[in-house]
């Protein structure tokens, strides 16, 4: 069974920084891509950033220059470094991964439980 576990959320002042981590574990054969999404109250879940197995990255326009996605293949872990945080960044942040399980037939989408990020003014 595959699981994604997120950590690093919390309360931070505007202008501060935070680094989120997401570790994948279980019967993993390969990870095709990993990414980050967020959802604020009353709003749709939105894409933030992702990184492919080859290392290519993509970002939402509103976070370019402030957020950086990276990964550690040996640890099956993806990170999101968030700088210059704004109150508008307040949301639940979710990790997503497309993973081929050792016991599965096809790769599947997996989601973490979410971690709260609150930015105060």
């Amino acid at each position: 069974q595959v699981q994604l576990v997120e950590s690093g959320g919390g309360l931070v002042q505007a202008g501060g920084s935070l680094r989120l981590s997401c570790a994948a574990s279980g019967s993993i054969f390969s990870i095709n891509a990993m990414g980050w999404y967020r959802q604020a109250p009353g709003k749709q879940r939105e894409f933030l950033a992702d990184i492919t197995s080859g290392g290519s990255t993509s970002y939402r326009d509103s976070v370019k220059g402030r957020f950086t996605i990276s990964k550690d293949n040996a640890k099956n872990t993806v990170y999101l470094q968030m700088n210059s945080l704004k109150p508008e960044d307040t949301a639940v942040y979710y990790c997503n991964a497309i993973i081929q399980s050792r016991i599965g037939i096809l790769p599947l989408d997996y989601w973490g439980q979410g971690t709260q990020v609150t930015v105060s003014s």
Side-chain angles (χ1 to χ4, degrees), residues 23-67:
S25 62
S27 300
I28 298 170
F29 179 75
S30 63
I31 300 176
N32 294 349
M34 301 186 80
W36 290 94
Y37 292 71
R38 70 185 179 190
Q39 188 167 22
K43 295 186 177 181
Q44 298 291 320
R45 187 171 299 187
E46 64 181 16
F47 166 81
L48 294 176
D50 65 9
I51 184 165
T52 68
S53 60
S56 297
T57 60
S58 183
Y59 294 92
R60 184 181 186 87
D61 286 344
S62 62
V63 305
K64 286 181 179 178
R66 297 192 298 125
F67 291 10

Side-chain angles (χ1 to χ4, degrees), residues 39-109:
Q39 188 167 22
K43 295 186 177 181
Q44 298 291 320
R45 187 171 299 187
E46 64 181 16
F47 166 81
L48 294 176
D50 65 9
I51 184 165
T52 68
S53 60
S56 297
T57 60
S58 183
Y59 294 92
R60 184 181 186 87
D61 286 344
S62 62
V63 305
K64 286 181 179 178
R66 297 192 298 125
F67 291 10
T68 302
I69 189 169
S70 62
K71 64 175 180 174
D72 184 335
N73 290 333
K75 297 180 179 180
N76 286 332
T77 298
V78 65
Y79 306 94
L80 186 67
Q81 178 66 46
M82 305 186 294
N83 299 325
S84 301
L85 284 164
K86 307 173 182 179
E88 307 91 86
D89 295 319
T90 296
V92 177
Y93 284 67
Y94 295 92
C95 176
N96 169 258
I98 301 173
I99 296 174
Q100 174 64 59
S101 169
R102 291 187 181 276
I103 61 174
I105 299 172
L106 297 172
L108 299 174
D109 275 329

